[in-house]
């Protein structure tokens, strides 16, 4: 079966099903053996991550048996699963619990993310908020919307362009090496204010709905960014890798900067990286 954007409703419900069955029953109820470290004390995986990804993957395989499925936890065990994402006829990329550190800490800022990639291009992105029970959905050429829990559909748009001194944003400098780490941390003080949710799902939601202006990420795993970048673009925003090149599903390095428009992107690129 090929992907049809009419399947977005089915995909949105799939993410909500996984949240209801595997994520929310474990929120603030994780046992001692339900959380473990991956690469550091800030990089965690829980039973909710593992079981939600298994549920989503199984349902996708039933409906799309020929599709490539890239899940964060499966790739953690076998990084080779990422190979070919940029060339696949149809691929689904899953982040079962984005913001696992928050989830494991009992903080209600986490989301379930899924993107659809067709022949190297992201064509749809969905971010589900299991706590708010709503979805942020973008489809190529169709704009981005919040589908509220009560059923209403609200079109979203990025914030209006303003000078850097009036921008609110986030710089994930923790994944940068020196001297860029200190450079960006210092230059972020040129902006009006900052946020740091430790959750790309909610940070992209903030951008796409016009409540913040920019984000800078250095670590580019596809489950963290494909859905958010597509949603942000369909909400009118401009994103690119730090060198100005387009961000593609096959990229896992090069960093990314998202801004309200290309001119804002260029101004931020100049000011944040100023020596």
């Amino acid at each position: 079966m090929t992907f049809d954007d009419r399947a977005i409703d089915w995909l949105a419900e799939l993410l909500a099903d996984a949240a209801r069955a595997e994520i929310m029953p474990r929120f603030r109820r994780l046992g001692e053996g339900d959380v473990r470290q991956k690469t550091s004390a800030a990089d965690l995986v829980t039973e909710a991550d593992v079981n939600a990804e298994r549920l989503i993957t199984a349902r996708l395989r039933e409906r799309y048996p020929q599709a490539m499925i890239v899940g964060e936890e499966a790739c953690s065990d076998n990084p080779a699963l990422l190979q070919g994402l940029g060339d696949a006829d149809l691929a689904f990329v899953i982040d079962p619990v984005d913001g696992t550190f928050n989830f494991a800490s009992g903080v209600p800022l986490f989301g379930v993310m899924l993107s659809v990639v067709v022949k190297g291009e992201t064509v749809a992105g969905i971010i589900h908020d299991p706590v708010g029970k709503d979805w942020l959905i973008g489809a190529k050429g169709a704009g981005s919307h919040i589908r509220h829990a009560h059923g209403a559909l609200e079109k979203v748009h990025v914030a209006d362009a303003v000078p850097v001194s009036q921008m609110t944003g986030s710089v994930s400098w923790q994944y940068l090496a020196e001297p860029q780490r200190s450079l960006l941390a210092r230059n972020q003080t040129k902006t009006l204010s900052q946020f740091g949710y430790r959750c790309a799902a909610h940070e992209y939601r903030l951008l796409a709905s016009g409540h913040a202006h920019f984000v800078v990420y250095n670590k580019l795993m596809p489950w963290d960014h494909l859905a958010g970048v597509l949603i942000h673009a369909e909400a009118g925003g401009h994103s690119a890798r730090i060198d100005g090149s387009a961000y593609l599903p096959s990229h896992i390095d090069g960093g990314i900067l998202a801004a309200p428009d290309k001119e804002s992107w260029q101004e931020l690129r100049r000011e944040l990286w100023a020596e």
Side-chain angles (χ1 to χ4, degrees):
M1 179 183 286
T2 58
F3 179 74
D4 186 314
D5 60 12
R6 288 174 293 184
I8 288 177
D9 290 343
W10 182 85
L11 292 170
E13 285 303 320
L14 172 58
L15 301 191
D17 286 347
R20 283 189 293 264
E22 303 292 353
I23 298 171
M24 293 309 295
R26 293 180 169 90
F27 183 48
R28 295 178 176 166
R29 297 183 181 90
L30 291 168
E32 187 174 333
D34 293 337
V35 185
R36 58 187 184 276
Q37 292 186 19
K38 290 198 283 189
T39 61
S40 73
D43 184 15
L44 306 177
V45 61
T46 74
E47 289 301 296
D49 298 73
V50 173
N51 286 289
E53 183 172 303
R54 284 175 180 163
L55 187 156
I56 295 168
T57 299
R59 296 267 190 92
L60 287 171
R61 290 206 188 284
E62 288 176 6
R63 186 177 175 108
Y64 301 97
Q66 303 304 316
M68 179 179 183
I69 299 176
V70 177
E72 177 180 8
E73 305 314 327
C75 286
S76 178
D77 294 334
N78 181 11
L81 293 174
L82 265 174
Q83 295 174 9
L85 178 58
D87 302 316
D89 289 337
L90 174 63
F92 296 94
V93 181
I94 310 161
D95 192 339
V97 182
D98 182 73
T100 299
F101 183 88
N102 294 341
F103 178 80
S105 304
V107 176
L109 277 175
F110 51 89
V112 189
M113 303 174 74
L114 181 142
S115 57
V116 185
V117 178
V118 175
K119 298 184 185 301
E121 180 182 26
T122 309
V123 299
I126 305 172
I127 298 174
H128 176 54
D129 178 0
V131 177
K133 297 181 179 178
D134 61 9
W135 302 260
L136 181 59
I137 300 173
K140 188 74 175 178
S144 292
H145 300 79
I146 292 175
R147 181 180 297 162
H148 293 280
H150 51 69
L153 206 61
E154 176 191 353
K155 188 174 178 63
V156 294
H157 197 277
V158 297
D160 293 335
V162 294
V164 167
S165 62
Q166 297 303 307
M167 290 187 184
T168 294
S170 174
V171 178
S172 295
W173 46 260
Q174 65 267 32
Y175 293 110
L176 290 163
E178 295 291 1
Q180 282 219 356
R181 181 186 179 102
S182 294
L183 179 70
L184 267 75
R186 181 184 72 242
N187 284 339
Q188 189 178 3
T189 61
K190 297 177 182 180
T191 65
L192 179 66
S193 64
Q194 64 177 346
F195 59 88
Y197 289 170
R198 300 187 73 136
C199 176
H202 279 278
E203 292 176 351
Y204 278 118
R205 177 173 177 143
L206 214 60
L207 258 63
S209 55
H211 298 296
H213 298 89
F214 73 92
V215 290
V216 177
Y217 296 111
N218 186 58
K219 187 178 179 183
L220 292 188
M221 302 316 293
W223 42 82
D224 288 325
H225 301 291
L226 291 182
V229 168
L230 185 278
I231 290 167
H232 179 253
E234 288 298 318
H238 178 78
S239 299
R241 291 205 292 174
I242 305 306
D243 64 4
S245 62
Y247 169 56
L248 302 174
S250 58
H251 292 150
I252 58 171
D253 57 19
I256 195 167
L257 167 61
D261 56 26
K262 189 171 184 179
E263 290 72 24
S264 298
W265 190 97
Q266 292 169 337
E267 185 180 3
L268 280 162
R269 177 65 178 85
R270 183 170 60 252
E271 293 296 330
L272 290 176
W273 277 265
E275 297 287 349

